[in-house]
Amino acid sequence: MKRSQWKSTVRNPVILIPINPRFSINVLQLLKSAQMQHGLRHGDYARYRRYCTARLRRLYKSLKFTHGRSKYTRRAINESTVTEVRYLHMILYTAERAWSHAMEKRQLLDGPNAKQRIYLIGRLRKAVKWADLFSRLCAAKGDSRTSLEAEAYASYMNGLLLFEQDRNWDTALKNFISARAVYEELGKYGALENQVLCRERVEELEPSIRYCRHKIGESNLKTSELLQIGEMDGPALDLFKAKLEAAMAEARSQQAASLTEFHWLGHRFPISNAKTRVSILKAQELEKDLHGPAADSLPAEKKLAVFDKIFTAYHEARSFIRSDLVSAGNADSVKDELNGLDKAVSAVLGQRTIERNQLLVSIAKSKLTRRRDDKNEKVTKPEELVRLHDLLLQNTADLSDLVSSGRDRKPEEVAFAEDCVLRSTAFRAQRCFYLAKSYSSAGKRTEAYVLYCHARSLAENALKKFQTVAGTDEVTIKELKTLHNECRANSCIEHATGIMEHEKVSENLSKKVSTISLSGVDKKVEKFLLEKLDVYESAVGEPNVKSVPRIEVFPPAFQSTPRNPIVLDLAYNCIDFPSLENRMKKDKKGFISRLWR
């Protein structure tokens, strides 16, 4: 190469500049991680909105994309502006901020009023606007997967806006179906974590699609199916749940107009307050799930959740009743009706409390026979069942006192109070049985035997009383018969085990005496943990066996320690020391001192 050619090559270097760079964003993964880490795990949309605002502030500052210092100057974002991926993040988080603000307004206690709902829809429109811009810019600047995810995100936001507006259900359905189709395709490829997120989003979109079809009339969804859909979790379903709850509240308020009286044990109490009617009607609808034909197939966890909702509804009704009592003034007839209604609602609440505690007892019984639960939970101890039966006894006593209070009692109330006393005898027998089990597990055979015999007599007495009463529940009689047989069997086992242990006492004593050595060292003593650190062996013992952990000797034994010798000077008193008087200084006395002698 000539010198002139070399110089021209150095002066004009070739620089490779990429044309139309394509950005890549995992939109769903980015949003899910941000939502779960900043509030939406617990449904806190205000916290997530604050995070989006802070994130946008950081993006504006890092990109130097501020909107003026003293006066706001709007800066548009277009294809030429997007030179790096952070510009796309800025648009995405702006849409998320508007969406989270709308959802925050949706979660108000009494629901958004007319003015707040207008503001909510305005924020959703803003979210749709930024989501559409995000989709267009990703189609121009992003890769194929990013553009597909952005398109699905925009379709989802458009569907949410129409869903909230209660109109154009066919357009909302098309948007939701479009988003679902994209996520279904994306769930087949890519990383495993991203596939799982796409499938979860497909499941979250399915209830909204079914509800839109129900509104259009393409499907015949029942109310129970809608309630089952509403029990699903996920941020994408929060708007659907709010819409469903609003629809159910409106339906309850319409049905509550026909609920003018509350029937309880032959009494009819008028209900004048509309809020009290709605709360009682909500509780009665939930009770149908527990006592209906599908109650047996309902899992225990869901039953407990239904009980919690029933308690909340009845407590709300009682609070409304008591506020009406305060505002009743001096009207005695109104006060009597409200006091009777409060008593009836309290009695029904007590009945549901007993049913819930009986459900807890059945769950604890199923765990008592197993060593470990399927979910690796702790095994139930007999003491837990004793505590639950204490609660049942207290609940039945309170309910009996509540029903027995009053002057003019009807036959239904007397029969109900007698039934409470009868049930308390069965609960007392079961409590005594599990108390005996706790003593048996502690190795106290005498106490366990006595308690088993007492539980057997209580079960026998309760069984006789239940058999004399007409219309008694057959399940309770069957449980008492099983309890009677188990008490008899366990008392025999405890008796035999106690005798065997008593016979073995002398044998164990003779064995221990024979192993005693004069040196005081037991050759068969198990080593402590610090003496067998090279062996992988537990020094604590089995979790269900009560044994003393052998970690280290406590209190520690005395050990000899070297120290300086003690010198005892025994020869001191036997030594005759020489006289030193001749060496002592004598006192010189004068003439005057002699006169005073």
Side-chain angles (χ1 to χ4, degrees):
M1 181 184 289
K2 294 182 180 180
R3 187 176 181 87
S4 59
Q5 292 178 351
W6 178 77
K7 285 182 179 180
S8 62
T9 306
V10 173
R11 288 171 186 167
N12 301 317
V14 178
I15 301 174
L16 297 176
I17 301 175
I19 301 173
N20 294 328
R22 294 288 177 176
F23 304 117
S24 178
I25 305 174
N26 289 329
V27 179
L28 187 58
Q29 187 174 357
L30 178 67
L31 293 181
K32 277 286 185 181
S33 61
Q35 290 171 0
M36 292 298 106
Q37 292 175 15
H38 299 92
L40 291 200
R41 188 185 296 273
H42 311 289
D44 191 355
Y45 285 95
R47 179 184 167 193
Y48 182 60
R49 180 170 65 89
R50 289 194 298 269
Y51 163 74
C52 292
T53 304
R55 177 68 176 151
L56 282 171
R57 189 183 298 114
R58 290 194 297 270
L59 287 171
Y60 286 143
K61 191 172 182 180
S62 63
L63 291 171
K64 297 181 181 179
F65 196 78
T66 55
H67 302 279
R69 302 187 66 178
S70 59
K71 185 179 178 182
Y72 177 80
T73 305
R74 184 179 179 182
R75 298 180 64 180
I77 302 177
N78 47 37
E79 295 182 13
S80 60
T81 310
V82 180
T83 56
E84 56 176 298
V85 73
R86 285 183 295 173
Y87 284 97
L88 297 177
H89 284 187
M90 188 168 59
I91 302 168
L92 179 61
Y93 279 108
T94 306
E96 282 289 293
R97 181 176 64 175
W99 169 76
S100 59
H101 199 178
M103 296 303 296
E104 181 186 353
K105 294 296 180 183
R106 167 54 75 182
Q107 281 191 329
L108 293 175
L109 273 178
D110 297 329
N113 53 29
K115 187 175 180 181
Q116 290 169 343
R117 192 168 182 276
I118 292 171
Y119 184 76
L120 185 153
I121 292 175
R123 297 309 298 171
L124 280 178
R125 283 201 185 99
K126 188 74 72 173
V128 168
K129 170 191 168 184
W130 288 105
D132 289 338
L133 178 61
F134 179 69
S135 175
R136 290 196 302 271
L137 292 179
C138 285
K141 293 288 186 177
D143 56 6
S144 56
R145 184 184 179 89
T146 304
S147 62
L148 277 175
E149 285 200 61
E151 183 182 350
Y153 179 74
S155 299
Y156 171 66
M157 284 294 175
N158 279 282
L160 284 183
L161 175 62
L162 297 172
F163 195 91
E164 177 62 31
Q165 289 177 334
D166 286 337
R167 63 182 185 186
N168 296 333
W169 292 103
D170 50 351
T171 311
L173 178 63
K174 289 177 183 177
N175 283 305
F176 284 135
I177 290 176
S178 175
R180 184 184 65 177
V182 172
Y183 286 123
E184 282 178 349
E185 289 299 320
L186 292 176
K188 299 176 183 178
Y189 311 103
L192 181 61
E193 183 182 0
N194 208 6
Q195 291 181 22
V196 172
L197 290 175
C198 290
R199 290 167 189 164
E200 288 178 356
R201 179 52 66 94
V202 169
E203 292 176 0
E204 291 173 356
L205 286 170
E206 191 63 32
S208 301
I209 293 172
R210 294 179 66 185
Y211 189 77
C212 290
R213 285 177 174 165
H214 172 68
K215 281 291 186 179
I216 295 172
E218 294 181 3
S219 64
N220 296 321
L221 275 178
K222 297 181 181 178
T223 307
S224 58
E225 295 178 357
L226 285 174
L227 291 174
Q228 289 176 2
I229 294 172
E231 292 176 357
M232 299 172 65
D233 294 325
L237 291 169
D238 288 341
L239 188 61
F240 173 76
K241 288 180 181 178
K243 182 70 67 177
L244 184 61
E245 186 62 31
M248 294 298 294
E250 186 179 354
R252 287 193 197 104
S253 61
Q254 292 175 358
Q255 292 179 7
S258 59
L259 184 67
T260 57
E261 292 180 342
F262 185 74
H263 300 270
W264 176 74
L265 296 181
H267 292 279
R268 292 184 177 183
F269 301 104
I271 308 173
S272 57
N273 194 341
K275 293 182 179 179
T276 309
R277 293 176 187 172
V278 171
S279 299
I280 292 175
L281 187 63
K282 181 180 179 181
Q284 290 176 350
E285 287 179 356
L286 291 168
E287 286 173 353
K288 292 177 183 178
D289 296 336
L290 295 175
H291 304 108
D296 296 334
S297 60
L298 202 65
E301 290 79 7
K302 288 189 176 181
K303 285 184 179 180
L304 291 175
V306 172
F307 272 117
D308 292 338
K309 293 178 182 178
I310 290 173
F311 295 154
T312 304
Y314 276 127
H315 282 302
E316 287 178 357
R318 289 185 66 189
S319 65
F320 293 139
I321 292 168
R322 292 182 179 181
S323 62
D324 291 340
L325 272 170
V326 174
S327 60
N330 297 324
D332 293 336
S333 60
V334 177
K335 280 189 174 182
D336 291 340
E337 291 175 353
L338 289 174
N339 283 322
L341 181 60
D342 184 39
K343 177 182 175 181
V345 172
S346 301
V348 175
L349 187 60
Q351 286 180 270
R352 300 299 166 259
T353 306
I354 291 173
E355 291 175 4
R356 179 181 179 275
N357 288 335
Q358 285 180 320
L359 177 62
L360 291 175
V361 166
S362 64
I363 295 171
K365 281 182 182 179
S366 64
K367 293 181 181 179
L368 183 66
T369 55
R370 291 182 289 180
R371 190 174 182 83
R372 285 286 175 187
D373 195 30
D374 297 337
K375 298 179 181 178
N376 203 16
E377 295 177 354
K378 290 184 179 179
V379 67
T380 303
K381 295 182 180 179
E383 290 84 355
E384 180 67 20
L385 281 160
V386 173
R387 186 187 66 82
L388 289 173
H389 282 93
D390 284 335
L391 289 175
L392 283 170
L393 287 170
Q394 184 63 40
N395 293 332
T396 50
D398 294 342
L399 187 58
S400 178
D401 293 341
L402 180 65
V403 175
S404 301
S405 62
R407 298 177 181 176
D408 301 328
R409 292 197 297 163
K410 293 195 173 184
E412 292 87 351
E413 292 178 288
V414 177
F416 188 82
E418 291 176 354
D419 184 67
C420 289
V421 174
L422 197 60
R423 287 185 179 277
S424 65
T425 57
F427 293 150
R428 194 174 291 111
Q430 292 173 354
R431 178 189 178 278
C432 189
F433 173 76
Y434 290 108
L435 187 61
K437 268 191 174 299
S438 65
Y439 274 100
S440 176
S441 62
K444 299 180 179 180
R445 306 298 173 191
T446 307
E447 292 86 348
Y449 174 75
V450 172
L451 286 170
Y452 276 129
C453 292
H454 185 56
R456 180 184 173 187
S457 65
L458 289 174
E460 190 174 356
N461 293 332
L463 188 59
K464 289 179 181 178
K465 290 180 181 179
F466 270 99
Q467 287 175 346
T468 56
V469 177
T472 310
D473 188 8
E474 294 295 331
V475 177
T476 307
I477 294 176
K478 186 177 179 181
E479 288 179 355
L480 285 173
K481 288 181 179 178
T482 306
L483 181 65
H484 181 270
N485 296 332
E486 287 183 357
C487 288
R488 183 175 180 277
N490 283 297
S491 62
C492 295
I493 292 171
E494 291 298 325
H495 192 193
T497 308
I499 293 173
M500 291 171 62
E501 289 180 355
H502 182 71
E503 292 293 332
K504 287 182 179 179
V505 169
S506 58
E507 296 179 6
N508 294 334
L509 183 60
S510 61
K511 286 181 181 179
K512 290 181 180 179
V513 170
S514 63
T515 55
I516 295 176
S517 62
L518 296 177
S519 59
V521 179
D522 191 0
K523 296 181 181 179
K524 295 184 179 180
V525 173
E526 187 180 353
K527 292 183 180 181
F528 289 92
L529 178 62
L530 295 178
E531 299 173 358
K532 52 180 182 180
L533 294 176
D534 55 339
V535 181
Y536 188 75
E537 184 178 347
S538 174
V540 180
E542 296 294 330
N544 295 325
V545 179
K546 294 184 178 180
S547 60
V548 180
R550 302 187 65 81
I551 299 174
E552 181 54 279
V553 181
F554 188 83
F558 291 101
Q559 296 181 358
S560 59
T561 56
R563 58 157 297 160
N564 295 331
I566 300 174
V567 179
L568 300 176
D569 198 352
L570 301 177
Y572 181 78
N573 296 327
C574 301
I575 297 175
D576 295 332
F577 293 99
S579 178
L580 299 175
E581 291 181 359
N582 56 349
R583 294 186 180 184
M584 293 175 64
K585 188 176 181 180
K586 296 181 179 180
D587 295 335
K588 293 182 180 182
K589 298 179 180 180
F591 175 76
I592 299 174
S593 62
R594 292 176 186 174
L595 293 176
W596 292 101
R597 284 186 174 181

